[in-house]
Amino acid sequence: MAIRYPNGKKYSEKRILKTKKNVNKKDSRYSNRGMSLEEEINESNQYYIAHGLANIHKKPTPIQIVNVHYPSRSAAVITEAYFQKASTTDYNGVYKGKYIDFEAKETKNKTSFPLKNFHDHQINHMIDVIKHGGICFSILRFSATGETFLLKAEYILSWYDQNEDRKSIPKSYIEEHGSLLKQGFLPSIDYLKAVDSMIDCQ
Amino acid sequence: MAIRYPNGKKYSEKRILKTKKNVNKKDSRYSNRGMSLEEEINESNQYYIAHGLANIHKKPTPIQIVNVHYPSRSAAVITEAYFQKASTTDYNGVYKGKYIDFEAKETKNKTSFPLKNFHDHQINHMIDVIKHGGICFSILRFSATGETFLLKAEYILSWYDQNEDRKSIPKSYIEEHGSLLKQGFLPSIDYLKAVDSMIDCQ
């Protein structure tokens, strides 16, 4: 279930970091459905849960808590904390008995996807998940064209291994080995269809 | 991988809430190995990852962020945030290709485990995970005797369904249907052995 905040909006770390403004600030993105990739995936996951198709969640943002204040008769208030880098991927859950694990990333680049978007911890996590028989992939969006691909982690790792000096994955490689995801109304991104073909190939 | 804080200690929400003191405060629990259940499970999960046995993590604590301050030339500081109730269980991951999902809870009670420790959201989450073919259970510790049991979610749900007016699960029921977990040095709690027998019975 998505975490909802007092203003009824979902929290998006990227949004905070980008706008550098209070998260309570109202915006109109829900009316024009100009959602971020993260919001679209969260909405798709809610749809999958509500329709009994899968149980997949975004993990909470890892926060380093430094100070907590305990006012009398009120809830504890965290008064100093910092965002942390995730050591795993952002999303995981269960679908048809299988362990599902993925990361979602966007780029403004038009012809390639920067590999710096993947931390070493996340690369190691992907390798480990595959080793244990989980289904691991990334959802990659080229925001300039709005195209969204599902790329199996095996292809990301294989590129990573063979091209240590390269800084990005060419879009042509993603088009060749990934699945272009159709965007719709509900769910916004029906990525489970692409996962089905991964399960069939196992 | 466990989240480590500047003082080298793992963050424990329970500890903060209990002691109502700054998390940076030094304590001696690492020298006497008097770890909390959460710390023992985190350590066991690190052991499993390091030895290539499983990839299971505790999810970050869900935090509701209200205000973020952006000092120039420094990292963003969260200046107001609150602890939230988790809508799922605390731990999940992959073992032998299976989706693993569980919650760990402690009680000071001697003869029964309070059901109020399980939120409705968590109960619904367990039902859903089982429906999708995941392996779901709870690790329950009676702190008075130090006994720790693994109890399949099916037995928790079955007790919950049949005894709506009851406020707790009798220890005898947990002894009958659960597995007593041996505690050791590394891993502290070798719960995967009990999971093996769950997989064998599937």
Side-chain angles (χ1 to χ4, degrees):
Chain A
M1 206 160 292
I3 296 162
R4 285 189 175 273
Y5 292 87
N7 60 355
K9 288 214 171 40
K10 284 172 233 156
Y11 160 65
S12 159
E13 181 186 341
K14 276 171 200 150
R15 180 150 56 106
I16 287 190
L17 294 172
K18 210 168 169 183
T19 62
K20 301 197 173 185
K21 281 176 190 163
N22 191 313
V23 286
N24 281 327
K25 208 181 165 205
K26 198 169 159 58
D27 71 21
S28 59
R29 290 179 312 150
Y30 278 81
S31 52
N32 63 14
R33 299 210 30 103
M35 290 187 287
S36 70
L37 179 58
E38 181 183 315
E39 288 168 327
E40 286 185 35
I41 292 172
N42 287 344
E43 200 186 75
S44 303
N45 286 341
Q46 283 175 41
Y47 176 91
Y48 289 148
I49 289 171
H51 290 76
L53 296 168
N55 188 301
I56 297 166
H57 292 267
K58 185 176 187 299
K59 292 177 202 165
T61 303
I63 304 282
Q64 175 191 344
I65 297 170
V66 175
N67 261 307
V68 184
H69 178 58
Y70 296 85
S72 58
R73 285 190 286 272
S74 305
V77 189
I78 297 160
T79 54
E80 187 185 352
Y82 299 90
F83 293 107
Q84 288 189 304
K85 260 191 196 172
S87 59
T88 63
T89 45
D90 268 356
Y91 300 85
N92 72 358
V94 58
Y95 174 55
K96 295 184 177 175
K98 303 277 182 187
Y99 175 75
I100 306 294
D101 191 297
F102 66 98
E103 188 61 44
K105 296 190 184 287
E106 279 184 272
T107 186
K108 286 178 180 169
N109 288 15
K110 288 180 184 172
T111 55
S112 65
F113 211 97
L115 276 174
K116 70 168 166 44
N117 284 359
F118 294 91
H119 310 307
D120 283 349
H121 276 324
Q122 292 180 325
I123 294 287
N124 291 335
H125 178 74
M126 285 185 208
I127 293 169
D128 211 42
V129 165
I130 293 167
K131 199 177 79 184
H132 291 293
I135 289 178
C136 192
F137 53 89
S138 281
I139 293 180
L140 305 174
R141 172 169 293 172
F142 290 92
S143 53
T145 58
E147 289 164 293
T148 308
F149 294 89
L150 184 148
L151 185 63
K152 281 175 73 170
E154 286 84 344
Y155 288 111
I156 297 168
L157 297 172
S158 151
W159 182 267
Y160 199 82
D161 277 350
Q162 289 164 28
N163 301 274
E164 266 183 54
D165 55 336
R166 301 238 185 147
K167 294 210 163 52
S168 58
I169 306 177
K171 191 178 175 190
S172 57
Y173 181 89
I174 295 168
E175 285 169 333
E176 188 187 344
H177 299 289
S179 310
L180 181 64
L181 299 177
K182 240 174 118 173
Q183 285 174 259
F185 180 63
L186 278 172
S188 311
I189 306 178
D190 196 4
Y191 66 86
L192 284 185
K193 278 188 190 159
V195 174
D196 277 330
S197 64
M198 287 172 72
I199 292 174
D200 292 342
C201 294
Q202 263 196 331
Chain B
M1 206 160 293
I3 296 163
R4 286 189 173 275
Y5 292 88
N7 59 356
K9 289 214 169 41
K10 285 172 230 155
Y11 161 64
S12 158
E13 182 184 339
K14 277 171 198 150
R15 180 151 56 105
I16 287 191
L17 293 173
K18 209 168 170 182
T19 63
K20 302 197 173 187
K21 280 175 190 164
N22 190 312
V23 285
N24 281 327
K25 208 183 164 201
K26 199 170 157 55
D27 70 22
S28 61
R29 290 180 311 151
Y30 278 80
S31 51
N32 64 15
R33 300 210 31 103
M35 291 188 287
S36 70
L37 179 60
E38 182 183 314
E39 287 167 328
E40 287 186 35
I41 292 172
N42 288 344
E43 201 186 74
S44 303
N45 287 342
Q46 281 174 43
Y47 176 90
Y48 290 147
I49 289 171
H51 289 76
L53 297 168
N55 188 303
I56 298 167
H57 292 267
K58 183 175 189 298
K59 293 177 202 165
T61 304
I63 304 282
Q64 174 191 346
I65 297 170
V66 174
N67 262 307
V68 184
H69 177 57
Y70 297 85
S72 57
R73 285 190 287 271
S74 305
V77 189
I78 297 161
T79 54
E80 186 185 352
Y82 299 89
F83 293 108
Q84 289 190 302
K85 261 191 195 172
S87 59
T88 64
T89 46
D90 267 357
Y91 301 86
N92 71 358
V94 60
Y95 174 55
K96 295 185 176 174
K98 302 277 182 186
Y99 175 74
I100 306 293
D101 191 297
F102 67 98
E103 188 61 42
K105 296 189 184 286
E106 279 185 271
T107 187
K108 287 179 180 166
N109 288 14
K110 288 180 182 171
T111 55
S112 66
F113 211 97
L115 277 173
K116 69 169 166 44
N117 284 359
F118 294 91
H119 310 307
D120 283 349
H121 276 324
Q122 292 179 326
I123 294 286
N124 291 335
H125 178 73
M126 288 185 206
I127 293 169
D128 211 42
V129 166
I130 293 167
K131 198 177 78 184
H132 291 294
I135 289 179
C136 192
F137 54 89
S138 282
I139 293 181
L140 305 175
R141 172 169 292 173
F142 289 92
S143 53
T145 59
E147 288 163 293
T148 309
F149 294 88
L150 183 148
L151 185 63
K152 281 175 73 172
E154 286 84 345
Y155 289 111
I156 297 168
L157 297 171
S158 151
W159 181 267
Y160 199 82
D161 277 351
Q162 288 163 28
N163 302 274
E164 265 184 54
D165 54 337
R166 300 238 185 148
K167 294 210 163 52
S168 58
I169 306 177
K171 192 178 175 190
S172 57
Y173 181 88
I174 296 169
E175 285 169 334
E176 186 186 347
H177 299 290
S179 311
L180 181 64
L181 300 177
K182 239 174 117 172
Q183 284 174 259
F185 180 62
L186 277 173
S188 311
I189 306 178
D190 196 4
Y191 65 87
L192 284 185
K193 277 188 191 158
V195 174
D196 277 330
S197 64
M198 287 172 71
I199 293 175
D200 292 342
C201 295
Q202 264 198 331

